């Protein structure tokens, strides 16, 4: 469809014709039956991957129903006393605000700082709190479906992942290097337990940015080359067909091409497989021809030009990104036989500086005294960036050539001087959430998949399908990050009713109209946070998580037991509300394992107040006093029927008054009662009416309040949290 001028666009927008055109196209695509010969991943014959630029999940989908967005009932606590959404610029609170296309140049919203120092400072080792201080107030802007209708339509027609994170809390190159190879730091050093410096890792943008053109005179590169294998290297060795569709002279000076950091690509010569498949100019028209002729490789990557990259700020925009995405989808779906065997992954490299509220499932941080804030059942040696240069500035290698010719001295640092909560050893990730759409005949229906994933997940999916191994992916990433199989229905692909697909070819007119409006600045009086009401179909997840409390009265301590009976590893985040000035502790617990940790409560007059956060809305709160007579509480799931059982035991010599509250979902709780000395009471519910979601509190005297919330997994698909947005800050 040709681009429309402004007059044509206005005229067309006044009719129902555009929606009808797109509805017809979308319905044809959705009507294509999935290749279902084996009813397994082996039915997938083609994997196509597009990584766009710099959007956070909340920025795009915080208001969409049925995902963990602005209606999250359990945002993490901040040192300020606020919850995660209420960030400060150092002077005032700036919550997320709507970048309305009617009132502002929303489509062309400014880019924000997105490098290692500012991202580390904003994340603050999991404390958050000052996102707009380090990322500017623009970082808090978000869209609704009104601004990005195409993106919403894709998510509501196929599958959106609302627990997908960028791999590293920094910028483009490090995340694209992970995406293309499985790691942005030397896997051999990691395996030897050595934390990498900038010599053998990529904390910031350097190695993928090139000079000159291809194929003649050829790129010149910055920084030393990495030696480990890329995913294309792995595929080539295994005899799996692959190709990178790109214009090598219009891929944002190499920034889109993470393989340019690697020796195998830098040394590739014309005629070699790496050069011909991964460095040559392969157009979108060629992609369309390969689909038409049924010659599409088994694995393909598509690299956008800068203008098509969806990057915040001019020259790109969500409208241009939508039009480019439509061009790719049109090419892929033109041949129904090929489309019936194809998976299209559409994701983003990092969040720019755009805010996302969910705490990143990361390896534990180090405290300033070099002790670890948390634990792991996996060996974490080598999983950190060793900033051996500290906070000092040093010559920027990106501008080495310019400076060698007498240009101005430019410097770089890996740590903001205001970032003093920790030392020079920083976790490699994960970073903030970024969107991931999974578009295929096996992922139709507007599903949400909430299993934790990152840029290694697409690589793990490739491994599962083709039986290869990407050696750079770390054991920690394999334990915690999904292989994305949970997002697919290979048994019985469905075809429900879908929304109309909006117009995209009018992107130029929309951009021009946006330019006439004022900047999308944060309002002086922020409006309340908003998320659409309703649920969406939600994929079954492999999680069975428990957190148990034990009082150690003699030692003046409490102990938490983190138990993972599921089939995937998970990260538990623990915030101590009595000490929010401290780095929150994080615990990585592999499937089938458990670990414990302790908190000294002597300095708090024996009182405790801890909040535990996990996957897909998992939330436990423990507050009380170890000197008081408190009930012992054990929680058990009924995974077969979708239920929950709570045991309350009184180990003391006095009766304990107990009251229970159903915080959501409306199931019956017993009236207040006394638990006699030495007695146990067991209470259970079936949760079918709430999609297996639970949320209840148990209270007693002396500040005792324990709260438990989450979803019981039954290995069957369910729905998203039906209470999303209800009482979200009343924790």
């Amino acid at each position: 469809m040709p681009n429309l001028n402004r007059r044509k666009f206005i005229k067309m927008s006044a009719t129902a014709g555009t929606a009808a055109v797109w509805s017809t196209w979308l319905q044809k695509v959705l009507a294509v039956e999935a290749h279902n010969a084996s009813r397994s991943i082996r039915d997938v014959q083609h994997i196509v991957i597009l990584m766009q630029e710099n959007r956070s999940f909340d920025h795009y989908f915080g208001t969409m129903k049925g995902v963990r967005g602005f209606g999250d009932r359990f945002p993490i606590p901040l040192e300020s006393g606020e919850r995660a959404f209420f960030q400060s610029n150092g002077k005032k609170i700036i919550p997320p605000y709507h970048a309305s296309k009617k009132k502002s140049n929303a489509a062309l919203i400014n880019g924000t700082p997105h490098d290692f120092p500012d991202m580390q400072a904003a994340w603050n080792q999991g404390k958050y709190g000052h996102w707009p201080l380090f990322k500017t107030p623009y970082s808090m802007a978000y869209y609704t479906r009104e601004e990005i209708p195409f993106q919403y339509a894709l998510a509501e027609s196929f599958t959106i992942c609302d627990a997908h994170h960028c791999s590293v809390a920094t910028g483009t190159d490090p995340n694209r290097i992970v995406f293309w190879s499985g790691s942005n730091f030397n896997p051999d050093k990691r395996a030897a337990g050595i934390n990498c410096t900038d010599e053998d890792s990529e904390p910031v943008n350097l190695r993928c940015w090139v000079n000159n053109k291809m194929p003649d005179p050829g790129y010149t590169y910055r920084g030393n080359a990495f030696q480990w294998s890329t995913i294309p290297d792995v595929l080539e060795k295994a005899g799996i067909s692959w190709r990178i569709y790109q214009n090598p002279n219009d891929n944002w000076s190499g920034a889109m091409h993470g393989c340019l950091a690697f020796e195998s690509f830098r040394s590739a010569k014309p005629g070699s497989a790496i050069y011909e498949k991964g460095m040559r100019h392969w157009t979108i028209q060629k992609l369309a021809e390969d689909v038409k002729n049924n010659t599409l490789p088994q694995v393909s990557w598509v690299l956008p030009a800068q203008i098509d990259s969806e990057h915040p700020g001019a020259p790109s925009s969500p409208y241009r990104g939508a039009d480019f995405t439509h061009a790719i989808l049109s090419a892929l779906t033109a041949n129904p036989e090929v489309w019936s065997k194809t998976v299209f992954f559409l994701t983003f490299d990092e969040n720019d500086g755009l805010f996302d509220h969910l705490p990143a499932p990361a390896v534990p941080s180090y405290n300033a005294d070099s002790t670890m804030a948390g634990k792991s059942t996996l060996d974490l040696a080598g999983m950190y960036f060793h900033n051996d240069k500290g906070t000092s500035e040093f010559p920027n290698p990106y501008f080495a050539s310019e400076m060698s010719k007498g240009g101005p001295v430019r410097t770089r640092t890996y740590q903001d001087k205001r970032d003093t909560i920790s030392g020079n050893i920083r976790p490699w990730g994960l970073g903030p959430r970024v969107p991931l759409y999974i578009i295929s005949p096996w992922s139709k229906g507007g599903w949400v998949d909430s299993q934790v994933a990152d840029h290694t997940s697409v690589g793990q999916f490739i491994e599962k399908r083709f039986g290869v191994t990407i050696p750079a992916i770390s054991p920690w990433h394999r334990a915690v990050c999904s292989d994305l199989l949970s997002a697919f229905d290979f048994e019985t692909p469905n075809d429900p009713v879908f929304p109309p697909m909006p117009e995209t070819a009018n992107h130029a007119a929309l951009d021009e109209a946006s330019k006439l409006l004022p900047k999308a600045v944060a309002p002086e009086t922020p409006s309340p946070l908003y998320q659409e009401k309703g649920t969406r179909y939600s994929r079954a997840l492999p999680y069975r998580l428990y957190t148990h409390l034990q009082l150690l009265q003699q030692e003046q301590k409490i102990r938490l037991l983190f138990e993972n009976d599921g089939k995937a590893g998970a990260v538990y985040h623990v915030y101590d509300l009595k000490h929010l000035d401290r780095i929150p502790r994080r615990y990585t617990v592999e499937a089938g394992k458990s670990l414990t940790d302790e908190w000294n409560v002597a300095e708090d007059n024996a009182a405790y107040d801890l909040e535990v956060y996990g996957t897909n809305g998992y939330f436990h709160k423990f507050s009380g006093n170890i000197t008081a007579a408190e009930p012992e509480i054990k929680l058990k799931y009924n995974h077969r029927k979708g239920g929950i059982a709570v045991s309350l035991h009184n180990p003391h010599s006095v009766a304990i008054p107990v009251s229970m509250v159903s915080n959501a979902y409306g199931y019956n709780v017993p009236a207040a009662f006394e638990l006699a000395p030495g007695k146990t009471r067991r209470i259970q519910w079936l949760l079918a009416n709430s999609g297996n979601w639970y949320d209840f509190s148990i209270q007693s005297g002396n500040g005792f309040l324990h709260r438990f919330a989450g979803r019981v997994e039954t290995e069957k698909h369910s729905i998203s949290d039906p209470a999303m947005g209800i009482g979200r800050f009343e924790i």
Side-chain angles (χ1 to χ4, degrees), residues 210-219 246-254 279-281 305:
V210 297
N211 293 320
N212 297 329
K213 302 287 186 179
M214 291 288 289
D216 183 34
Y219 292 151
Q246 62 161 337
N247 181 346
N249 297 324
D250 191 10
N251 56 11
W252 210 329
S253 300
M279 304 286 277
R280 288 285 189 192
H281 189 174

Side-chain angles (χ1 to χ4, degrees), residues 459-480:
Q460 293 186 63
F461 186 87
I462 291 172
E463 288 182 324
K464 287 291 192 297
R465 172 55 187 91
F466 296 113
V468 298
T469 298
I470 301 167
I473 300 176
S474 77
W476 184 88
H477 286 86
R478 294 187 182 280
V480 170

